[in-house]
Amino acid sequence: MQNPGLSLDQVRERAARIRCVFLDIDGVMTDCKLYLGPDGMEIKAVNVKDGLGIKNLLRNGIEVAVISGRPSEAMQRRLEHLGLRHIRLATEDKLPAYREIIASLGLTDEQCAHMGDDTPDLPLMRRVGLALCVADGHPKAIAASHWVSRYRGGDGAIREAADLILEAQGIDA
Ligand SMILES: [Mg+2]
């Protein structure tokens, strides 16, 4: 759903310009839960539907980039397997990484979307042309977004956002 104050047509207009989608991991690609093993190992679950949404974007020439505060070797492998070329894990301050990636791609803020769930995402959400938030996002992230998914983080929110962007660009994926 679009945020109050913005019509769905206005959201689609913004979505039609997007050439790169930035994603947060915890709370967006996952449900934000960490299962802590006795040996210190962290387990998190990803959603295959979201993986398909990411592949659909990449297949249609829309870049997907991930910037996350937490390091995770398993997540790095998953993202590489999906075909992502821009992966910045263990990156607390997201804005410098964002600037570097869009400069390397030759894109403007208006051509970028960011999907987040919490306050560390706010600097990016306030900057990009299309700010997306998951259904169970922090109230401040919801308030900063142009559009909120019906699905929760880790439960298909990325797939829903990918469909929105592709449909706005007339692509049936
Ligand atoms: Mg998060």
Side-chain angles (χ1 to χ4, degrees):
M1 69 186 151
Q2 75 279 11
N3 242 7
L6 215 61
S7 72
L8 195 51
D9 279 346
Q10 285 173 312
V11 171
R12 288 196 181 115
E13 243 171 67
R14 287 171 177 268
R17 291 194 283 264
I18 299 307
R19 305 310 312 158
C20 183
V21 180
F22 287 77
L23 299 171
D24 176 39
I25 291 181
D26 295 295
V28 174
M29 202 169 285
T30 77
D31 63 4
C32 223
K33 287 184 184 137
L34 294 176
Y35 295 89
L36 305 175
D39 54 357
M41 185 190 241
E42 291 181 355
I43 305 275
K44 29 185 145 183
V46 293
N47 193 306
V48 171
K49 280 188 212 125
D50 287 333
L52 195 52
I54 289 170
K55 281 189 169 177
N56 285 343
L57 289 168
L58 292 169
R59 199 179 294 141
N60 287 287
I62 297 172
E63 279 290 346
V64 179
V66 163
I67 307 175
S68 168
R70 296 183 73 84
S72 165
E73 270 180 43
M75 189 59 80
Q76 176 86 27
R77 280 198 299 276
R78 160 88 178 151
L79 297 171
E80 284 172 2
H81 178 73
L82 287 172
L84 267 74
R85 295 186 298 141
H86 305 280
I87 305 165
R88 303 292 162 85
L89 306 187
T91 303
E92 298 273 349
D93 192 359
K94 297 188 180 201
L95 207 49
Y98 164 81
R99 283 205 197 99
E100 201 183 295
I101 292 169
I102 73 164
S104 76
L105 294 170
L107 298 178
T108 63
D109 292 327
E110 288 67 34
Q111 293 174 301
C112 295
H114 176 66
M115 188 164 216
D117 73 310
D118 214 327
T119 50
D121 298 298
L122 293 177
L124 256 63
M125 293 177 77
R126 289 177 179 146
R127 197 172 174 107
V128 292
L130 181 64
L132 310 161
C133 187
V134 294
D136 55 335
H138 186 279
K140 284 186 180 172
I142 289 180
S145 69
H146 299 115
W147 180 87
V148 181
S149 62
R150 280 187 301 129
Y151 292 98
R152 299 161 68 93
D155 197 26
I158 295 173
R159 177 65 183 278
E160 191 186 346
D163 287 351
L164 169 83
I165 290 165
L166 291 168
E167 278 167 30
Q169 303 193 11
I171 298 163
D172 183 23

